[in-house]
Amino acid sequence: MSRATSGAARADRLTPGARRILAVASELFYRRGIHAVGVDTIAAESGVTKRTLYDRFGSKDGLLVAYLETRDQRWRDLLGEHLAAVGDDPARRVLVPFEVLPEWLGESDRGCSFINAFAELPEPEHPGRQVIVAEKKWLRDLFHRELTAAGAADPDQLAVQLLSLHEGAVVSFAIADESHAAEAAHAAAEALLTAAMP
Amino acid sequence: MSRATSGAARADRLTPGARRILAVASELFYRRGIHAVGVDTIAAESGVTKRTLYDRFGSKDGLLVAYLETRDQRWRDLLGEHLAAVGDDPARRVLVPFEVLPEWLGESDRGCSFINAFAELPEPEHPGRQVIVAEKKWLRDLFHRELTAAGAADPDQLAVQLLSLHEGAVVSFAIADESHAAEAAHAAAEALLTAAMP
DNA sequence: TCGGAACTTCACAGATCAGTATAGTCGGGA
DNA sequence: TCCCGACTATACTGATCTGTGAAGTTCCGA
């Protein structure tokens, strides 16, 4: 795996073949893990030659970054839609990630693709790591922003607490088989928020 | 990777070579990931031949299970010590996992070995999965037991909330670089517990 | 003295890994 | 007409993967 390629390619500007490759790779990386899936398999299941895969994405790492970036975008888009729907009240907006969670978790039992990818990418300089870390920090910052706007006490600490609740719910759902982890986390977030409001 | 071998071998009954193999494998599996580490590397770094590795552990999977089991035991032992030290008050005991967390997290920046292993073991029947799932459920049950003894309201839901907080703190610490995630989770757990007490 | 456990040496199997080289096909737009 | 982008076909490199076979050494305890 070479370390080339920015994940520059926007998902919408992909060629038909590239779109299929990315779709197949996303499914396989998420379902089976990154190291467990070979480029030969991805190419074959995409109905494409390996040459095409390398022409479009440069390397397995390039394809991996594209996978993480599109997954990140999908998550932010979903959250964005719900945020737009609930309006301007920051005390309501801060709970939106918890409201979305059941829907997001219902798609699979494989947990969070970013947490999983983190497990397979130990090198801090790996380009995929930046996407992973940015995703978690983005959510924490979203919490922090809304908490501050809501006038909650100690938004720094509360943002980290909400982030932990959120990520932990995903883990508990996938690993401990806790089907109501999202609802429980939602209730806890609500309680912590209420206690922090003036 | 064959699917043989119970992880039967107790860590204390290991031969000198096996002990070295397990120590090296534990470090490498955790630091670099399971699929990323080959048995040749483990054998070489243990100062042992591959033959010995297979004679002692049967397969890479057998070694992996031994790794997970000893890691699980270490975690339970650490918790057990602290639980014994705090005495009988269940309302105090329920917070012990959060008190231990800073010490446990301080050892590394690679997150939770079980969450990481889960990411690399997609097959539910894999013997390693049982160890992983059992570890998380054990912690949830510990929360539940102490909460019930303390007379807290809705121990079912609160146990899941505490589990989520706990696991999420590990994730936030490792991925989002949140150095105070453990302390924040501890404070949140305390607040939720207080609110649930009669 | 003998047996067995722990371990070494080393060669080997068969698969799979990421990635490249070379050559060619096809269709649409300037 | 010509070129270019997208893609196919196929063969190849060199490394690495898990796991095994066969034989030999060393040492300890009964």
Side-chain angles (χ1 to χ4, degrees):
Chain A
M1 270 201 246
S2 74
R3 191 55 55 74
T5 51
S6 65
R10 297 289 297 271
D12 39 329
R13 294 180 185 272
L14 294 178
T15 64
R19 219 183 309 272
R20 258 154 42 221
I21 294 167
L22 183 53
V24 167
S26 297
E27 184 72 11
L28 294 181
F29 283 155
Y30 182 51
R31 237 84 202 184
R32 301 192 205 161
I34 298 163
H35 285 89
V37 174
V39 288
D40 296 84
T41 305
I42 296 170
E45 298 216 1
S46 308
V48 134
T49 59
K50 218 162 36 152
R51 201 68 202 89
T52 301
L53 188 153
Y54 278 93
D55 282 347
R56 295 302 131 237
F57 294 97
S59 65
K60 186 182 181 182
D61 271 349
L63 179 54
L64 170 60
V65 169
Y67 153 61
L68 291 171
E69 281 176 345
T70 54
R71 181 101 189 172
D72 185 32
Q73 199 55 56
R74 255 188 65 210
W75 164 241
R76 296 194 194 195
D77 288 349
L78 179 65
L79 224 58
E81 286 170 28
H82 282 75
L83 282 169
V86 299
D88 290 336
D89 178 13
R92 273 251 21 220
R93 292 169 63 84
V94 77
L95 292 174
V96 164
F98 292 94
E99 291 169 18
V100 177
L101 214 40
E103 178 185 341
W104 187 250
L105 289 182
E107 289 183 20
S108 156
D109 57 354
R110 278 288 292 149
C112 173
S113 52
F114 299 99
I115 296 177
N116 292 354
F118 179 88
E120 297 205 62
L121 303 178
E123 298 172 45
E125 296 78 22
H126 193 289
R129 279 280 289 254
Q130 300 169 15
V131 184
I132 295 165
V133 171
E135 195 264 345
K136 297 305 173 209
K137 290 190 173 177
W138 178 83
L139 182 57
R140 182 203 53 195
D141 292 345
L142 183 149
F143 283 135
H144 190 271
R145 201 163 48 245
E146 302 298 340
L147 288 169
T148 303
D154 203 348
D156 281 19
Q157 172 162 273
L158 189 46
V160 178
Q161 291 170 333
L162 294 185
L163 178 67
S164 293
L165 259 176
H166 194 271
E167 299 309 302
V170 182
V171 168
S172 301
F173 178 87
I175 305 186
D177 228 16
E178 275 297 341
S179 54
H180 298 97
E183 291 79 3
H186 188 192
E190 208 161 10
L192 292 173
L193 176 64
T194 304
M197 290 297 286
Chain B
M1 272 201 243
S2 75
R3 190 55 55 73
T5 53
S6 63
R10 299 287 299 272
D12 39 330
R13 293 180 186 271
L14 294 178
T15 63
R19 219 183 307 273
R20 257 153 42 218
I21 293 167
L22 183 53
V24 166
S26 297
E27 183 74 11
L28 294 181
F29 283 155
Y30 182 50
R31 237 86 203 186
R32 301 191 205 161
I34 297 164
H35 284 95
V37 174
V39 288
D40 296 86
T41 306
I42 296 170
E45 297 215 1
S46 307
V48 136
T49 60
K50 220 167 28 158
R51 203 77 206 76
T52 301
L53 188 154
Y54 278 93
D55 282 347
R56 295 303 131 236
F57 295 96
S59 66
K60 186 183 179 180
D61 271 350
L63 179 54
L64 171 60
V65 169
Y67 152 62
L68 292 171
E69 281 177 343
T70 54
R71 181 100 189 173
D72 185 29
Q73 199 53 56
R74 256 188 64 209
W75 164 240
R76 296 193 193 195
D77 288 348
L78 179 66
L79 225 58
E81 286 170 29
H82 282 76
L83 282 169
V86 299
D88 290 336
D89 179 12
R92 272 249 26 218
R93 292 168 64 83
V94 77
L95 292 175
V96 164
F98 293 94
E99 291 168 19
V100 177
L101 213 41
E103 176 185 343
W104 187 251
L105 290 182
E107 288 182 18
S108 156
D109 57 353
R110 279 289 291 148
C112 173
S113 52
F114 300 98
I115 297 177
N116 292 353
F118 179 88
E120 297 204 63
L121 303 178
E123 298 172 46
E125 296 78 23
H126 193 288
R129 278 280 288 255
Q130 299 170 14
V131 184
I132 295 166
V133 172
E135 194 264 345
K136 297 306 174 210
K137 291 189 173 177
W138 178 84
L139 181 58
R140 181 204 55 196
D141 292 347
L142 183 149
F143 283 136
H144 191 270
R145 202 161 50 243
E146 303 298 340
L147 288 168
T148 304
D154 204 348
D156 281 21
Q157 172 161 272
L158 189 46
V160 178
Q161 291 169 333
L162 294 185
L163 178 67
S164 293
L165 260 176
H166 193 272
E167 299 309 300
V170 181
V171 169
S172 301
F173 178 87
I175 304 186
D177 228 17
E178 276 296 343
S179 54
H180 297 97
E183 292 79 2
H186 187 193
E190 208 161 11
L192 292 173
L193 177 64
T194 302
M197 290 299 284

